[in-house]
Amino acid sequence: MPTEAIPNERLQFHCMDVQVHQHTFAQDVADGLTAPQKWLPPKYFYDERGSQLYEQICALPEYYPYRAELEILGTYAAEIHAEIGHLALVEFGSGSATKTRHLLSAYEWEGQPFRYCPVDISREILQDTAHRLLQEYSQVEIRAMHADFAGQPEVIQAFQLEKKAVAFLGSSLGNFTPVESFEFLRRTAAIMGPEDVFLLGIDLKKSSVILVPAYDDAQGVTAAFNLNILYRINRELGGRFDPQRFEHLALYNDEQGCIEMHLRSRQAQRVPIAKIEQVVPFGKDETIHTESSYKYSLDEVRDLGYQANLVLRRTWFDARRYFLLALFRPS
Ligand code: AVI
């Protein structure tokens, strides 16, 4: 993994190979759009535009998870930091690190140098955030990593940290299937030392009356976020999607305990995608399943951790108990 030289002694930047990334996108699109239930992996939402749209989603009145987690971090940052101690903070899916700033401030107030290691799939947001944080925090040393960490949490071993706190916030674990979540936690636990901690931010189960509007907002920002994946296929893979011929769909799957997002074809159509050498047929109302967002109960979170060799030690909730911040130690 090459390290890009950026002239700042407090910043190191690790990059993943873009060629590999391109190949994977084409392969995943080919696999997903030729399956009986068409699907696309949600990680491809997060190109530059998608990441900006996600930031906008977080500001929507209907999208409570962001504010609920922010409330927890704003209220309990000092307590959480006391529990973590002075460990280097590694964050999977760091994005703009807006919420994490509460924790970073608690580190900064100690008045000693500390290490923050953000890992994100969006290179632009990662670079931008790293530079902003260097200006905002005089004590921070940043080692940033551009990586697709979802199937390989071991990428963080490249940081070569003796002890660490690993954070996975924003309920991003909810976008993994239950099997993927288990594997991700198990493999993360396997690379943790006895004094390391794992901090998980996860959305809790609640009524679909609250859940569905959070993923189908009145302003249509989530719809634009969902449809953006078609623009990305057009741009990067020579696709000929007309996004106006698709509509955003969000529903709560009670049996699975997840919100599902789909793109529904408004008409029968055939869409050529040059780079995968396919013409993809769609029936009227046929959907592409683009995301699942699993919601957990406290017991499910505890059990999932336990099976993955992580013991739940502390929990923090927002006032409405919509969201959970859970601290685990390896068993
Ligand atoms: C990033 N992830 C946790 C978001 C979620 O709530 O599942 C992604 C998202 N999709 C639609 N709105 C937000």
Side-chain angles (χ1 to χ4, degrees), residues 1 3 11 23 35 46 53-54 56 83 85 115 124 137 156 196 203 210 215 217 226 229 256 259 267 301:
M1 186 178 294
T3 299
L11 174 62
H23 171 74
Y46 302 93
L53 284 166
Y54 180 60
Q56 288 177 32
E83 194 73 36
R115 190 164 285 163
E124 293 79 12
Y137 296 93
I156 62 171
D196 291 358
D203 195 17
I210 298 163
Y215 292 83
D217 64 279
N226 199 4
I229 204 158
Q256 296 289 322
I259 283 279
Q267 62 192 74
V301 171

Side-chain angles (χ1 to χ4, degrees), residues 80-290:
I80 298 164
H81 178 246
E83 194 73 36
I84 291 176
H86 197 71
L87 300 177
L89 181 63
V90 178
E91 184 177 7
F92 287 122
S94 46
S96 59
T98 311
K99 286 169 294 191
T100 319
R101 278 174 170 77
H102 286 293
L103 262 184
L104 298 179
S105 297
Y107 275 89
E108 177 89 359
W109 289 330
E110 282 191 316
Q112 305 172 39
F114 65 98
R115 190 164 285 163
Y116 177 52
C117 306
V119 185
D120 205 277
I121 193 163
S122 168
R123 185 190 168 94
E124 293 79 12
I125 289 251
L126 188 65
Q127 276 177 334
D128 185 56
T129 304
H131 285 104
R132 281 172 202 264
L133 292 175
L134 286 173
Q135 285 167 359
E136 291 170 37
Y137 296 93
S138 62
Q139 303 287 352
V140 76
E141 275 174 30
I142 299 180
R143 294 197 196 159
M145 185 186 291
H146 175 219
D148 177 7
F149 58 88
Q152 41 170 358
E154 296 83 4
V155 289
I156 62 171
Q157 287 178 300
F159 291 131
Q160 295 186 320
L161 299 166
E162 220 177 281
K163 291 178 191 168
K164 59 196 173 301
V166 182
F168 196 22
L169 305 177
S171 204
S172 297
L173 191 81
N175 296 134
F176 296 173
T177 65
V179 171
E180 287 167 347
S181 297
F182 165 71
E183 272 302 302
F184 186 82
L185 294 187
R186 187 189 63 76
R187 288 167 62 171
T188 302
I191 54 166
M192 285 169 64
E195 289 170 54
D196 291 358
V197 298
F198 183 71
L199 190 63
L200 178 69
I202 193 87
D203 195 17
L204 294 169
K205 284 205 156 92
K206 59 186 66 63
S207 162
S208 61
V209 174
I210 298 163
L211 284 170
V212 172
Y215 292 83
D216 195 6
D217 64 279
Q219 293 171 56
V221 181
T222 312
F225 174 74
N226 199 4
L227 286 159
N228 180 56
I229 204 158
L230 302 184
Y231 288 97
R232 183 169 183 181
I233 294 173
N234 287 352
R235 194 177 60 245
E236 295 184 25
L237 303 179
R240 302 280 298 277
F241 278 104
D242 176 352
Q244 292 191 345
R245 293 185 179 170
F246 288 83
E247 64 189 344
H248 167 68
L249 180 69
L251 52 95
Y252 186 63
N253 182 332
D254 205 9
E255 203 181 309
Q256 296 289 322
C258 67
I259 283 279
E260 288 183 10
M261 292 206 321
H262 293 256
L263 289 167
R264 183 163 54 197
S265 178
R266 294 180 193 268
Q267 62 192 74
Q269 54 183 317
R270 293 170 64 79
V271 180
I273 304 176
K275 283 221 175 117
I276 63 168
E277 296 174 1
Q278 300 263 359
V279 177
V280 184
F282 289 89
K284 179 171 163 29
D285 292 332
E286 186 179 355
T287 72
I288 311 173
H289 182 185
T290 49

